[in-house]
Amino acid sequence: MGIDVGKFLKNPEYDIRITTYRDVFQVAALECDRWGDEFRKYSAAVFMSKIDMAKMGFKKGDRVKVSNTNGSIVVEVRETKRDEPGGIAFMVNSPWSNALVSGDTGGRGIPEFKDIRAKVSLSKDEVTGMEKLVVGN
Amino acid sequence: MVTCTGCALLCDDIEVIVEAGRIKETKNTCLRGAGRIKGCVNRLVPSIGEQRVDVGNCIEKAAEILKNAESPMLFGFDNSTSGAQVKAVQLANKLDAIIDDTSSFCQGIMVEKVLRQEFRTCSLDDIRNKADVIIYWGSDAQDSQPRHLSRFSYFPRGEERQRGYEEDRTAIAIDVRESNTAKICKGHFYRIPLKGDRRFILALMDALSGRVPKFDGYDVQKILELSGILKKAKFGAIFAGIGLTYSIKDDAGILADLGRMLPNFHIMPMIGHYNMRGFNENLFRETGFVNSVKFGSEPVHDNRYSIAETLREKSIDVLLVAGSDPLLSLPRSIAKSLAGMQVVCIDPCVTLTSKISAVNIPAAVSGVECGGTAVRMDGKKVELSACVESGFLGDEEILGRIMEAV
Ligand code: SF4
């Protein structure tokens, strides 16, 4: 039986800068059931321009690990609805994006929700579930 | 007709069809509003620890926890009626507690400038009737306040704008991303770099004063063209979204400076939660500050009293939360400290925060199951009425009963 060398190779990791935004479908899902699949579906994703996806070798629907010193999540890669110039990735504001936001507010009280630096790489793990994002888990 | 409490537009033209005491259908709402009015699938049950108990016991327990707290904090109330907010401020005063709402990490800086009259502002009705140039800056209203363009700013006919968006109005979007709102602002979308708002304002101010704008990598012609449109406006509005607020949070006065160069323009912060402005006004009236206040011999405002900082510094031991879910909306790295304190949660629904709360008190959904008043994003006072009978207590009554018991 041959050894699956690929299993031991680390997927390449890229630097990524993420900004967050609001999505009315996600907010409606939140109103109905913040514990439900719909809310997770709209939240647990990172949206990237075609250009960046090609650069990093990601395809629509790939799962990626996004992590920094604040936390680590696995989400799905999706393509931005409109052509974006690249350099910035997008997440809908949610507990998933909040897992990556620093608690350091510079004493101002306002965390950097819209400017998140992280590393991104392909992952075979399941998309992070809400249970994992609740404190204590 | 009922009023929608889905966002701070407080649309008052909503029809609901009630069947067997439940809302079956809503008319005229956007998706967000329909979601709010139809409500959540998992209602909160009254509990102490894991134990289901009656609401009266929960209220007594909440009062006991608050009474025994060394550094209590009250947080939320942006999804509560103005009456409940007034009660919350009184309770904070009685307990010498900290009080704050989501505006401390949202639009508080901007609303404060409106209340202190550092921004020239106007009503949404003025905008519908008069506005010819509207700017969505760091704001995707189509997704956050979905009927803003259709009811007030762009699409409607207005007294002085009878030709509507086809001829009478110009909509502009300034944003990092081509949002759904930017898509509507055809030909007038100005894409700026992340955190580039301040530099863009400075470049625009240069253009307005006849100097050649400087903005690395940006087409100067586009800034000059924008300045030309703004100069010609008869009645303009800048809708300041959260994207702009976060980007200029350390120097929000720069927006007031821009406003001074545009005498026909009005600035309006785009508010999400339906009664955030109400909270800011109620606390401002009482203390002179819009959020992050600690009561004592006199009320003191400090960013240390913002929810993000109190959780980061773990400077409180008890948190009463009403109509907000800090575990959902704050960075996990600081929200984690909630697990180490006693939390009292008042909410219609099971939230992330309710899962770790010592006491859960279910509340009526305001504007659906209980009435009251609220303040629209432009400062207009709006009446809310109940359209179904649920048996749940409103936030105002819950807070009133806690206050009697402490
Ligand atoms: S725009 Fe806001 S207030 Fe109006 S229906 Fe939608 S959610 Fe409700």
Side-chain angles (χ1 to χ4, degrees):
Chain A
M1 210 165 70
I3 297 171
D4 179 5
V5 180
K7 229 166 66 176
F8 301 106
L9 288 179
K10 214 170 167 250
N11 285 314
E13 220 175 41
Y14 300 94
D15 287 319
I16 185 176
R17 194 174 176 197
I18 302 167
T19 192
T20 55
Y21 68 101
R22 318 273 155 160
D23 174 282
V24 70
F25 291 91
Q26 187 241 22
V27 173
L30 171 79
E31 291 286 353
C32 174
D33 182 8
R34 63 193 66 197
W35 302 95
D37 289 344
E38 281 281 288
F39 182 63
R40 192 187 60 220
K41 192 181 92 192
Y42 287 116
S43 306
V46 60
F47 292 79
M48 298 175 79
S49 69
K50 277 195 200 100
I51 305 165
D52 286 346
M53 282 171 66
K55 251 190 232 166
M56 298 180 197
F58 298 156
K59 296 186 304 299
K60 281 187 244 179
D62 277 347
R63 288 192 303 277
V64 285
K65 179 175 147 190
V66 190
S67 57
N68 60 19
T69 51
N70 304 303
S72 178
I73 49 169
V74 175
V75 293
E76 208 179 282
V77 174
R78 296 194 199 138
E79 197 178 291
T80 52
K81 186 151 81 172
R82 307 199 172 91
D83 282 340
E84 292 286 332
I88 304 283
F90 305 91
M91 284 185 78
V92 176
N93 179 283
S94 75
W96 282 264
S97 63
N98 281 335
L100 303 170
V101 177
S102 165
D104 182 2
T105 75
R108 187 80 193 66
I110 307 177
E112 290 281 4
F113 293 105
K114 281 187 176 277
D115 190 6
I116 303 167
R117 312 269 179 163
K119 302 263 185 210
V120 61
S121 59
L122 279 175
S123 172
K124 288 205 169 70
D125 292 342
E126 290 298 305
V127 166
T128 308
M130 177 75 107
E131 333 62 65
K132 286 226 175 89
L133 300 170
V134 177
V135 162
N137 294 325
Chain B
M1 290 289 171
V2 301
T3 299
C4 175
T5 53
C7 79
L9 273 191
L10 292 166
C11 294
D12 56 3
D13 59 348
I14 310 300
E15 286 176 45
V16 290
I17 296 169
V18 180
E19 243 180 52
R22 288 193 63 102
I23 305 224
K24 190 169 164 257
E25 212 181 300
T26 62
K27 292 190 172 162
N28 295 338
T29 51
C30 66
L31 195 62
R32 179 177 190 170
R36 169 59 58 98
I37 294 174
K38 286 184 185 159
C40 63
V41 294
N42 25 28
R43 291 300 292 252
L44 193 60
V45 295
S47 62
I48 300 175
E50 304 277 285
Q51 209 67 38
R52 189 180 174 137
V53 292
D54 78 40
V55 173
N57 290 340
C58 291
I59 289 175
E60 275 169 33
K61 185 70 183 170
E64 183 193 313
I65 290 173
L66 286 164
K67 241 189 324 199
N68 294 330
E70 272 177 29
S71 325
M73 176 170 189
L74 315 185
F75 173 75
F77 315 105
D78 293 344
N79 285 305
S80 304
T81 60
S82 296
Q85 294 170 344
V86 169
K87 283 262 160 46
V89 174
Q90 289 168 351
L91 180 60
N93 195 352
K94 191 169 179 182
L95 292 164
D96 282 349
I98 297 173
I99 186 163
D100 190 33
D101 75 323
T102 46
S103 76
S104 67
F105 61 94
C106 178
Q107 291 282 39
I109 318 169
M110 295 291 178
V111 176
E112 185 173 10
K113 294 217 172 291
V114 169
L115 299 185
R116 292 195 190 284
Q117 299 180 354
E118 290 171 31
F119 287 156
R120 187 181 322 104
T121 192
C122 65
S123 70
L124 284 167
D125 305 279
D126 286 336
I127 284 163
R128 187 183 49 236
N129 287 326
K130 299 183 203 167
D132 58 344
V133 177
I134 52 169
I135 306 177
Y136 287 93
W137 198 323
S139 154
D140 184 9
Q142 285 295 87
D143 276 57
S144 294
Q145 297 86 4
R147 298 180 72 209
H148 197 268
L149 281 87
S150 61
R151 287 189 67 213
F152 297 106
S153 68
Y154 190 46
F155 295 112
R157 296 291 187 260
E159 275 165 22
E160 295 172 29
R161 297 286 162 248
Q162 293 298 339
R163 292 181 183 84
Y165 77 98
E166 307 95 305
E167 293 174 38
D168 268 353
R169 301 195 204 256
T170 303
I172 294 163
I174 302 172
D175 212 316
V176 171
R177 178 181 68 100
E178 190 177 349
S179 64
N180 289 328
T181 305
K183 176 86 180 154
I184 292 172
C185 304
K186 284 192 197 78
H188 297 292
F189 168 43
Y190 298 83
R191 189 196 295 278
I192 55 169
L194 188 55
K195 294 268 186 88
D197 302 70
R198 185 173 186 279
R199 283 188 294 137
F200 193 80
I201 291 175
L202 291 171
L204 189 55
M205 283 164 69
D206 274 345
L208 287 167
S209 37
R211 291 190 294 270
V212 179
K214 284 189 287 296
F215 194 175
D216 288 350
Y218 212 90
D219 180 356
V220 167
Q221 278 311 319
K222 279 208 81 174
I223 300 176
L224 290 171
E225 166 207 273
L226 176 61
S227 127
I229 298 171
L230 305 194
K231 274 186 191 163
K232 278 195 220 121
K234 292 192 182 69
F235 192 105
I238 297 175
F239 300 117
I242 196 74
L244 173 61
T245 304
Y246 285 165
S247 179
I248 61 167
K249 60 181 187 294
D250 297 321
D251 183 19
I254 195 147
L255 188 60
D257 295 342
L258 176 65
R260 274 188 285 279
M261 294 184 77
L262 293 167
N264 294 341
F265 269 78
H266 306 80
I267 297 173
M268 190 177 294
M270 295 295 276
I271 299 173
H273 298 301
Y274 88 81
N275 205 17
M276 195 189 94
R277 175 145 177 182
F279 179 88
N280 293 148
E281 289 192 3
N282 282 314
L283 190 62
F284 188 76
R285 197 175 304 121
E286 200 59 39
T287 67
F289 306 104
V290 297
N291 55 31
S292 311
V293 165
K294 183 176 188 328
F295 282 95
S297 52
E298 60 179 48
V300 176
H301 164 85
D302 196 299
N303 292 334
R304 270 191 304 142
Y305 304 134
S306 66
I307 185 76
E309 285 297 294
T310 56
L311 293 183
R312 194 182 63 78
E313 288 182 354
K314 302 189 179 76
S315 57
I316 52 169
D317 59 344
V318 169
L319 183 72
L320 178 143
V321 182
S324 185
D325 193 357
L327 257 185
L328 179 112
S329 52
L330 281 170
R332 188 171 191 269
S333 50
I334 49 175
K336 270 198 281 203
S337 60
L338 278 169
M341 55 188 72
Q342 284 193 295
V343 180
V344 174
C345 177
I346 303 171
D347 205 284
C349 303
V350 176
T351 65
L352 274 67
T353 306
S354 75
K355 290 270 186 188
I356 54 115
S357 295
V359 180
N360 283 315
I361 309 176
V365 179
S366 42
V368 177
E369 297 168 341
C370 70
T373 63
V375 183
R376 204 168 68 174
M377 62 158 68
D378 61 345
K380 183 181 171 188
K381 188 172 159 187
V382 175
E383 294 289 332
L384 309 176
S385 54
C387 53
V388 291
E389 176 50 60
S390 69
F392 289 106
L393 302 176
D395 290 355
E396 183 173 352
E397 189 172 351
I398 294 169
L399 290 163
R401 283 174 59 178
I402 292 176
M403 189 142 52
E404 277 168 26
V406 291

